Amino acid sequence: MAQILIKKWPRRLISLSGSWLDKALLLKIGIIFSAIIYINNAWSIELLNVSYDPTRELYKSYNQAFIKHWQNQTGEALTIKNSHGGSGKQARSVIDGLQADVVTLALAGDIDALNRYQPLIDQNWQSKLPNNSTPYTSTIVFLVRKGNPKQIKDWDDLVKPGIEVITPNPKTSGGARWNFLAAFAYAKSHYVSDEKALQFVTEIYRHAPILDTGARGATISFVQRELGDVLLAWENEAYLALNEQGGDELTIITPSVSILAQPPVAIVDKVVDAKGTRKQAQAYLDYLYSDEAQQIIAKNYYRPTNPVILAQYAEQFPKLRLVTIDEYFGGWQDVQKKYFDDGAIFDAIFEQINE
Amino acid sequence: MQRTLSKKTVRIIPGFSITLGFTLTYISIIVLIPLFCLFIYSTELSLANWIKLITGKQFLIALSLSLTTALTSALLNAFIGLLFAWVIVRYRFLGRKIIDTCIDMPFALPTAVAGIALTAIYAKNGPIGQLFSIKIAYTPIGITLALLFVTLPFVVRTLQPVIEDLPHELEEAAKILGATPRQTFIYVILPAILPAWLTGFTLAFARGIGEYGSVVFIAGNIPFKTEILPLLIVSKLDQYAYEAASAIGICMLIIAFILLFIMNLIQRRLNRAIVKVR
């Protein structure tokens, strides 16, 4: 109802002003404005890619590559802008009217959410690009202190006495939801029964002294504040932290089982149709699957979906058993409802911990 | 003739209708319409869900945490702020101007920066944190500390002009009439500064309830333990539960309104009492 009200106001204002402003004048202003917009458009076409936090470096290099590629192919000069922030927050900005041509978010659930109030995006968006619209994947790994003093090798080691685990709050962080599911995936593959798996995950959260609101916050707590013994992190974030620290303060540990994190990409249909940028936006996402882009992806520590290029970086991406969301959890919408909604499993875990 | 003249001269700024019109339009756009929309959003939540939300354990614990930390910090700041204001106004010393300027720093500093800095200092291995045997960061003590920092200027800045206006003669007269320093404070100074003091306290308290940026870094955000009410709103938003988020917002608004209203009532009483005494 609020949306309807807000939408109606501007129209009413225009009709009011028409009565005391010369209509011809309004027309002139309109023509000048549209001329400016037209000239601007002819000058250069601008795309806005609304993404989440850890892709900042990735898209910085990818945008350069794509602009060059597009210029060579069509002679058209493109400007690409990027916006980064928490995945859920970014989705909300698009819902509230941020004119994103493409969204490249942390999880499919956040892209599904775009249609919450009005259809912004085709319902079958995920089948429109290869690999469920995921040009790159990642997983959850452990980051431990230099030399691994607490001998943390796999998930079981996290629940040993005296170990402190740093992970953000799944309610406010997309990355934290992946951490939760990674732990669950391990527990389920190990203990089989749901009940025992839940006990294991509860035990892990018992070892969490704090829950930051986002993945970056958790990384700061672990690296700068030197809190805890192990950080559950995106593989690419872990490598970035390693690079910033010079590599001799921290060590990456890859567990035996983890979750296959699939951050998908999609065109925001309503925006590209209004702006007339569908062609460019489509090419922008398609090119993510090209060899050049897949190389850039690997260099930024995301796992490329092209198996040949993934093999070239085998040293950087150790093999482990990767469980998909669909395999154990049955899609994002179910996951959100079953685990993270109010009164769902995550809340129950903390109710139990505080008893 | 004279009456109309005097009526005209009362208005220093010309154009009553324009200025009032501007005021009303401005307050509508900036304050009333957003608040109204908040109410509309929250009406999308059914009554049953409303009740479930505000009787939930998580909400109640977050509410009491927010209220107690805001109250503690506002009370502490009331006394620290009085001391600060007194020192700055009454004494001349080297660096007074610098201290005076420093007091406004929490206003200018992004609250997230303050939060990160405080956490770094008061964490277990931080330069101050390691001096204490108890944990400060990631506990309600840490939250109170962040609020102390953020709300410091309110009390100082509301008291400062009042203390500046306080004539020295009053204290001298009290002294000559044989009042002890304590009596001078309680019967002469306190009544004069009390209304401003209460205002500063109320502002600090209200700000403390709503503060988010600095607190999330030092709170630790453990559900049922160190989760403040504004964080609950953010977590609702991240679940796209706009209605629930605005419902919590409304609850905070109502609490803030009631508090401010009570404070205003007390102040009015006080003012009347002071006028009577005089």
Side-chain angles (χ1 to χ4, degrees):
Chain A
M1 190 183 162
Q3 276 69 38
I4 299 166
L5 268 179
I6 291 164
K7 281 232 184 76
K8 276 187 180 161
W9 280 330
R11 237 174 271 146
R12 276 195 65 194
L13 281 178
I14 290 166
S15 68
L16 273 179
S17 59
S19 60
W20 51 272
L21 253 182
D22 189 355
K23 282 205 174 124
L25 182 69
L26 269 185
L27 195 70
K28 275 180 207 161
I29 294 173
I31 290 171
I32 292 170
F33 261 103
S34 37
I36 291 172
I37 289 166
Y38 180 78
I39 291 168
N40 248 348
N41 271 351
W43 209 271
S44 109
I45 293 156
E46 196 177 288
L47 290 182
L48 175 62
N49 173 8
V50 170
S51 194
Y52 63 116
D53 255 332
T55 58
R56 206 176 295 263
E57 292 80 8
L58 164 64
Y59 279 108
K60 213 169 150 190
S61 14
Y62 174 68
N63 286 352
Q64 279 176 359
F66 179 72
I67 287 168
K68 218 166 156 195
H69 162 78
W70 190 248
Q71 176 99 48
N72 286 342
Q73 208 154 54
T74 63
E76 202 172 64
L78 272 183
T79 313
I80 301 169
K81 292 204 166 149
N82 254 73
S83 159
H84 297 274
S87 189
K89 196 183 118 256
Q90 293 292 81
R92 284 205 308 281
S93 303
V94 178
I95 292 173
D96 294 338
L98 181 65
Q99 296 288 299
D101 299 87
V102 298
V103 283
T104 53
L105 297 176
L107 37 103
D110 284 333
I111 298 185
D112 283 331
L114 295 184
N115 281 344
R116 187 182 156 90
Y117 286 120
Q118 48 166 319
L120 285 176
I121 188 163
D122 190 321
Q123 281 210 320
N124 301 319
W125 62 271
Q126 201 153 17
S127 58
K128 293 202 164 163
L129 287 163
N131 290 321
N132 279 330
S133 290
T134 30
Y136 44 83
T137 63
S138 191
T139 186
I140 299 300
V141 297
F142 305 159
L143 200 60
V144 297
R145 310 224 175 267
K146 184 188 177 182
N148 199 0
K150 300 270 170 103
Q151 290 298 307
I152 294 162
K153 296 208 174 85
D154 207 348
W155 292 97
D156 281 323
D157 298 322
L158 301 189
V159 295
K160 285 190 177 152
I163 300 289
E164 283 190 328
V165 182
I166 304 297
T167 173
N169 189 336
K171 294 244 173 178
T172 53
S173 155
R177 265 169 256 173
W178 288 110
N179 292 351
F180 179 97
L181 295 174
F184 217 103
Y186 167 78
K188 226 175 145 181
S189 72
H190 207 72
Y191 298 106
V192 186
S193 97
D194 265 11
E195 203 182 314
K196 279 211 169 135
L198 189 63
Q199 264 174 17
F200 181 79
V201 176
T202 307
E203 209 46 50
I204 285 189
Y205 280 95
R206 236 184 255 279
H207 287 253
I210 59 162
L211 296 173
D212 281 294
T213 51
R216 275 283 152 94
T219 309
I220 291 175
S221 293
F222 181 74
V223 178
Q224 251 106 44
R225 217 117 300 143
E226 292 177 35
L227 219 70
D229 304 301
V230 52
L231 173 75
L232 304 187
W234 292 96
E235 192 172 38
N236 59 306
E237 280 272 284
Y239 273 110
L240 283 182
L242 212 63
N243 279 356
E244 272 162 34
Q245 292 293 313
D248 48 357
E249 301 274 325
L250 304 163
T251 311
I252 293 177
I253 303 290
T254 308
S256 61
V257 179
S258 192
I259 192 101
L260 180 70
Q262 298 163 295
V265 301
I267 288 181
V268 185
D269 294 289
K270 201 164 176 197
V271 175
V272 292
D273 287 341
K275 281 169 72 177
T277 48
R278 179 175 283 280
K279 197 176 66 184
Q280 292 82 357
Q282 185 71 48
Y284 181 73
L285 294 188
D286 284 340
Y287 197 63
L288 279 169
Y289 294 87
S290 71
D291 284 357
E292 188 193 5
Q294 293 280 309
Q295 291 278 359
I296 294 174
I297 284 164
K299 277 181 193 130
N300 284 283
Y301 309 110
Y302 275 96
R303 292 183 176 228
T305 45
N306 182 332
V308 181
I309 293 170
L310 180 64
Q312 284 174 22
Y313 290 82
E315 206 171 304
Q316 186 177 317
F317 301 120
K319 274 211 171 117
L320 69 161
R321 184 161 168 237
L322 289 172
V323 176
T324 65
I325 287 279
D326 295 328
E327 191 179 332
Y328 273 175
F329 304 97
W332 259 111
Q333 275 170 0
D334 290 346
V335 167
Q336 181 64 35
K337 228 179 261 154
K338 191 169 165 201
Y339 295 96
F340 304 121
D341 270 357
D342 286 333
I345 287 179
F346 181 75
D347 283 352
I349 283 178
F350 266 90
E351 217 148 337
Q352 203 190 325
I353 288 176
N354 284 290
E355 256 166 22
Chain B
M1 174 69 203
Q2 225 182 350
R3 262 188 95 176
T4 51
L5 198 82
S6 72
K7 228 181 185 178
K8 263 186 181 170
T9 49
V10 168
R11 288 181 202 142
I12 301 165
I13 301 169
F16 170 70
S17 52
I18 294 176
T19 45
L20 182 71
F22 177 77
T23 310
L24 288 179
T25 319
Y26 190 82
I27 207 159
S28 302
I29 293 173
I30 299 292
V31 181
L32 293 179
I33 291 174
L35 290 186
F36 180 65
C37 283
L38 195 65
F39 268 100
I40 289 178
Y41 262 125
S42 67
T43 53
E44 282 175 26
L45 201 68
S46 69
L47 189 70
N49 280 338
W50 251 98
I51 293 168
K52 211 174 125 194
L53 181 77
I54 58 170
T55 52
K57 206 171 139 196
Q58 199 170 16
F59 175 83
L60 290 176
I61 290 176
L63 177 69
S64 71
L65 179 69
S66 276
L67 286 178
T68 46
T69 50
L71 187 69
T72 318
S73 65
L75 278 174
L76 281 171
N77 256 343
F79 291 98
I80 298 163
L82 173 63
L83 187 81
F84 268 46
W86 189 263
V87 167
I88 289 169
V89 172
R90 282 299 167 90
Y91 304 110
R92 293 288 171 271
F93 53 93
L94 196 72
R96 188 184 72 100
K97 277 259 149 64
I98 295 171
I99 290 182
D100 198 14
T101 316
C102 278
I103 286 166
D104 285 332
M105 293 299 275
F107 272 149
L109 200 69
T111 47
V113 176
I116 291 175
L118 286 173
T119 315
I121 294 167
Y122 287 96
K124 245 191 307 189
N125 52 358
I128 300 182
Q130 58 186 334
L131 302 178
F132 291 86
S133 55
I134 49 160
K135 245 173 91 178
I136 295 179
Y138 315 117
T139 65
I141 303 173
I143 300 175
T144 312
L145 203 76
L147 294 181
L148 274 179
F149 177 87
V150 174
T151 59
L152 173 69
F154 289 99
V155 178
V156 181
R157 288 297 180 238
T158 46
L159 275 181
Q160 219 176 333
V162 181
I163 297 179
E164 263 164 16
D165 284 347
L166 214 64
H168 267 289
E169 291 85 348
L170 275 181
E171 282 163 66
E172 279 163 18
K175 210 172 179 184
I176 290 165
L177 292 170
T180 62
R182 209 170 130 231
Q183 282 172 321
T184 314
F185 181 76
I186 294 172
Y187 296 110
V188 179
I189 297 169
L190 196 62
I193 62 167
L194 200 54
W197 205 11
L198 272 177
T199 307
F201 169 79
T202 317
L203 285 175
F205 185 42
R207 173 70 197 267
I209 296 174
E211 175 62 19
Y212 174 75
S214 61
V215 176
V216 284
F217 291 98
I218 205 165
N221 312 321
I222 297 283
F224 304 104
K225 259 191 193 153
T226 52
E227 203 173 48
I228 52 162
L229 208 47
L231 182 75
L232 222 53
I233 295 185
V234 176
S235 82
K236 294 274 185 251
L237 281 177
D238 271 355
Q239 297 164 60
Y240 304 102
Y242 284 49
E243 306 79 23
S246 47
I248 300 178
I250 294 289
C251 289
M252 293 181 70
L253 213 61
I254 292 171
I255 292 166
F257 184 81
I258 293 173
L259 284 171
L260 292 173
F261 192 76
I262 293 173
M263 282 301 172
N264 270 336
L265 273 185
I266 294 176
Q267 245 171 341
R268 198 169 287 182
R269 284 258 170 105
L270 272 176
N271 277 339
R272 235 179 275 152
I274 289 165
V275 169
K276 246 186 215 166
V277 168
R278 277 183 187 160

